[in-house]
Amino acid sequence: MLDSVKISRRQSEIRKELATLAGKEKPTEDEQRSMQDLDREYVTNEMRYSAALIAEDTERREAGEELETRSDKDWSEMMGRFEMRQVALLLDEGRKLDGATDEIVSELRSQGGYRGVPVPWEALEMRAGETTSDGTPNPMRTAPIIDRLFADSAATRMGGRMINVGVGEVEYPVTTSAVSAGWVGGEGQDAPGPFAYTTLDRPMKPDNTLGITMKITRKALKQSGAGLEQAVRRDMNGAISEALDKAVFQGSGAAGEPTGLLAGAAGWGITETSIGAAASYAAFRAAAVRFMTANAASGPGAVNLLLRPELFDGMDDDLIAGTAISEWDRLVAKLGKVNMSSNALPVPVGDPAESVAVMTTTVGGVPPFFVASWGAVDLIRDPYSDAASGGLRLTALTTVDLTVSRSVQTEILTGLQ
């Protein structure tokens, strides 16, 4: 118990005793001495109470600072102990969760409704050092599972930021005011203005749900042991990342998909420039100059570029006359980050084949676009479809949406041959 609380309680007892003694018309000598002793103790306790409050306030501040700096680390450590294997066994056999996994699932359930088992996004991170256990005698040692190939995240490489929303909607207000400075025309004249300060809202809504269905056979459950933990985690993480990455750029805004940068360019006010010629360093340089003149980039090194591998093939083969330097060499030497993806951008079409490219920049720490996810991944078991074979069928559902921050931070180039 805190010293201040102990002193406060004793002061209350002293007041009660003094009230009882003060009500007597003719107190005895013992009662008079008792009143004097209680009065002195009360005055002393008042000074002790003030000192205790000062000391405890300092302790609270120090403890609060420690908790503020420790909370993120403790959360990360707890997430590191989350086991997908326990979730699979719960859905397959009904085995109870325990340890950090049980605590995390209980906390997520208290914050939102889930039909299945909520799985935090951090649990889908790939962890090093987890391999198939070889402690059980077995004439054949099962090696770690070889993963299938997934596309690397182009959204992250292009400066996008992933945020997590608990419940409800979220919006980002962007300044669109025409506030400007002006010189006062002369003595006694007013300053120019006033000018209205206005903002434009960029909302994100939980209207788009991404689903992944995974069938784990009985052989996989029995053969892989603890190695299944890491394999399922990586496979689910890769599938979600690949689908999200494609939706960020190519999402149609229909059939459950969020509106991607290419389809939503007109609505967001993103500049679209038609090249209609072979991809060249000059075309991308001109776009970088447009970023700089719009105060969106301080130089070509602050601009990110995303294009198809086919454009790399053509530009690297296009040598400048009399040199061994290609258009591609000039491009990568001047722009900040040149990225390639066959997943994020659509396949070139037409004759000659034409492709698109996306250029972005980050201004003042503000990313060009945001990708929001709501809550955790909802992992649901289908107990009927594979009951006859003893398999386990899982469905992972997650709700996501996309919005841009400032349209001037993104430009789309079309017609690149």
Side-chain angles (χ1 to χ4, degrees):
M1 184 184 298
L2 296 174
D3 289 339
S4 60
V5 177
K6 295 179 182 178
I7 296 172
S8 178
R9 290 185 177 180
R10 176 56 185 160
Q11 294 292 77
S12 179
E13 295 173 358
I14 292 175
R15 286 192 294 269
K16 289 180 181 179
E17 294 181 19
L18 286 174
T20 303
L21 294 173
K24 295 184 178 183
E25 295 182 1
K26 296 181 179 181
T28 64
E29 292 183 0
D30 292 339
E31 290 173 340
Q32 291 177 7
R33 284 193 298 270
S34 179
M35 282 191 288
Q36 292 175 355
D37 294 339
L38 291 172
D39 183 64
R40 284 193 296 270
E41 183 182 357
Y42 189 89
V43 173
T44 303
N45 284 347
E46 283 295 306
M47 292 185 290
R48 292 179 58 214
Y49 183 73
S50 299
L53 287 179
I54 294 173
E56 289 166 4
D57 181 65
T58 303
E59 293 174 0
R60 287 191 188 97
R61 291 178 184 274
E62 293 175 351
E65 292 174 358
E66 181 184 356
L67 288 174
E68 288 176 1
T69 57
R70 192 177 61 187
S71 58
D72 292 340
K73 182 175 70 175
D74 289 351
W75 179 254
S76 299
E77 291 176 354
M78 178 174 286
M79 286 298 171
R81 298 196 300 271
F82 188 92
E83 296 182 349
M84 287 288 291
R85 182 175 64 255
Q86 288 196 40
V87 176
L89 291 175
L90 169 66
L91 297 174
D92 186 40
E93 305 173 358
R95 184 179 300 184
K96 292 185 62 176
L97 301 176
D98 56 33
T101 304
D102 186 34
E103 292 182 33
I104 293 171
V105 170
S106 299
E107 178 69 19
L108 290 172
R109 284 194 185 282
S110 68
Q111 297 179 3
Y114 299 93
R115 289 189 56 201
V117 180
V119 177
W121 283 93
E122 293 88 342
L124 298 181
E125 294 176 350
M126 292 180 286
R127 304 174 186 170
E130 296 185 15
T131 56
T132 304
S133 174
D134 57 357
T136 304
N138 192 328
M140 179 183 294
R141 180 180 181 277
T142 303
I145 296 175
I146 299 174
D147 301 327
R148 57 183 170 136
L149 296 175
F150 291 105
D152 192 13
S153 175
T156 302
R157 287 180 284 149
M158 290 296 288
R161 180 181 299 171
M162 182 83 172
I163 61 174
N164 188 263
V165 183
V167 293
E169 301 178 2
V170 62
E171 64 181 11
Y172 287 88
V174 179
T175 300
T176 58
S177 65
V179 176
S180 59
W183 296 99
V184 177
E187 184 70 24
Q189 296 188 16
D190 295 335
F195 301 98
Y197 181 85
T198 56
T199 60
L200 175 66
D201 295 333
R202 301 288 193 185
M204 287 187 286
K205 301 179 181 180
D207 294 337
N208 311 292
T209 299
L210 175 65
I212 296 174
T213 301
M214 180 180 295
K215 178 179 178 180
I216 305 175
T217 64
R218 183 173 179 82
K219 178 181 179 181
L221 288 169
K222 303 302 180 185
Q223 178 190 40
S224 300
L228 183 65
E229 154 85 10
Q230 194 62 353
V232 171
R233 184 196 312 274
R234 288 192 301 263
D235 211 55
M236 190 175 295
N237 176 50
I240 292 176
S241 298
E242 189 172 68
L244 281 179
D245 214 32
K246 187 174 183 178
V248 165
F249 296 95
Q250 299 189 56
S252 64
E257 289 184 353
T259 302
L261 294 179
L262 299 180
W268 283 316
I270 296 175
T271 300
E272 295 182 271
T273 304
S274 178
I275 303 300
S280 64
Y281 166 69
F284 297 113
R285 180 185 60 196
V289 171
R290 287 192 288 272
F291 277 116
M292 290 184 280
T293 55
N295 297 323
S298 57
V303 179
N304 303 318
L305 170 63
L306 179 67
L307 42 72
R308 292 275 309 186
E310 292 87 346
L311 291 182
F312 156 71
D313 185 27
M315 293 181 67
D316 196 50
D317 191 48
D318 186 6
L319 298 178
I320 300 173
T323 70
I325 299 176
S326 66
E327 291 288 320
W328 178 260
D329 294 331
R330 299 177 66 192
L331 179 65
V332 296
K334 296 295 178 65
L335 289 189
K337 292 182 180 179
V338 180
N339 307 291
M340 288 182 283
S341 175
S342 59
N343 174 61
L345 300 178
V347 178
V349 294
D351 187 18
E354 293 186 341
S355 181
V356 300
V358 179
M359 300 182 73
T360 64
T361 185
T362 299
V363 183
V366 179
F369 56 89
F370 295 90
V371 181
S373 62
W374 273 260
V377 179
D378 195 357
L379 193 62
I380 306 170
R381 180 202 178 189
D382 178 359
Y384 305 109
S385 299
D386 299 305
S389 62
L392 173 63
R393 183 167 297 194
L394 304 175
T395 299
L397 300 175
T398 181
T399 302
V400 296
D401 197 12
L402 166 76
T403 191
V404 301
S405 52
R406 289 180 285 241
S407 57
V408 72
Q409 292 180 232
T410 304
E411 181 168 345
I412 298 173
L413 305 180
T414 62
L416 292 165
Q417 298 174 0

